[in-house]
Amino acid sequence: MPKYSLVGYDGSATSQRALRFAVQLAQASGGRVRVVSVLQVTEGSADTCALMIADQGGKRCSQLLDEVKELVPGTASLIDAEVVRGSPGDVLLEQVRNHAIDHIVIGHTERGALARWLLGSVSSDVLERAHVPVTVVR
């Protein structure tokens, strides 16, 4: 059984289901859950991006903790939460290396072929590159 699961969280319905799944697994196995939300800046000048990240990072971290407490009440002692800047797939895989994660739980959102080609798929990226078990929640 996994001892430290990572959940990529973006507030979507599938990421909420992934969080609930990971918490239930942690409760059953005596494990912990690390919830990571990724701030990804894709447009704007360097100065604009830096200001936005500085402003939104702290605010988003506070919101993330509030959301997690609301979604899975009474489980705060099992959960670590962090907001990180970067590319979602890269950030999640870096979290695995830096925090001894032994399982990834990620939500999957259906996109059309064009959207997948233009934007990519975080779940596909993580599945291709992860060296730990990955559970994709739909």
Side-chain angles (χ1 to χ4, degrees):
M1 291 293 267
K3 289 297 177 192
Y4 201 19
S5 294
L6 172 67
V7 177
Y9 186 83
D10 64 4
S12 67
T14 55
S15 70
Q16 291 174 1
R17 286 193 295 273
L19 173 61
R20 287 186 187 107
F21 176 84
V23 167
Q24 289 173 349
L25 190 60
Q27 289 173 319
S29 67
R32 295 190 56 76
V33 177
R34 182 169 191 81
V35 181
V36 175
S37 184
V38 179
L39 284 176
Q40 184 175 16
V41 179
T42 57
E43 296 180 7
S45 71
D47 292 337
T48 303
C49 292
L51 288 171
M52 187 180 88
I53 289 170
D55 181 49
Q56 294 299 313
K59 182 179 176 183
R60 180 64 190 131
C61 192
S62 176
Q63 290 172 339
L64 173 62
L65 291 171
D66 291 343
E67 286 177 39
V68 167
K69 288 177 187 175
E70 188 176 317
L71 281 170
V72 284
T75 61
S77 64
L78 299 176
I79 298 173
D80 304 316
E82 184 178 13
V83 175
V84 181
R85 292 178 296 276
S87 171
D90 293 340
V91 166
L92 294 177
L93 295 171
E94 186 176 309
Q95 290 282 316
V96 169
R97 289 187 298 274
N98 293 342
H99 298 284
I101 302 292
D102 61 357
H103 178 232
I104 300 170
V105 181
I106 191 167
H108 176 71
T109 303
E110 287 294 326
R111 291 186 180 158
L114 179 60
R116 275 194 312 276
W117 181 75
L118 289 172
L119 302 172
S121 166
V122 175
S123 57
S124 295
D125 183 32
V126 170
L127 279 168
E128 287 177 19
R129 299 191 297 146
H131 296 288
V132 297
V134 178
T135 301
V136 179
V137 177
R138 292 182 174 251

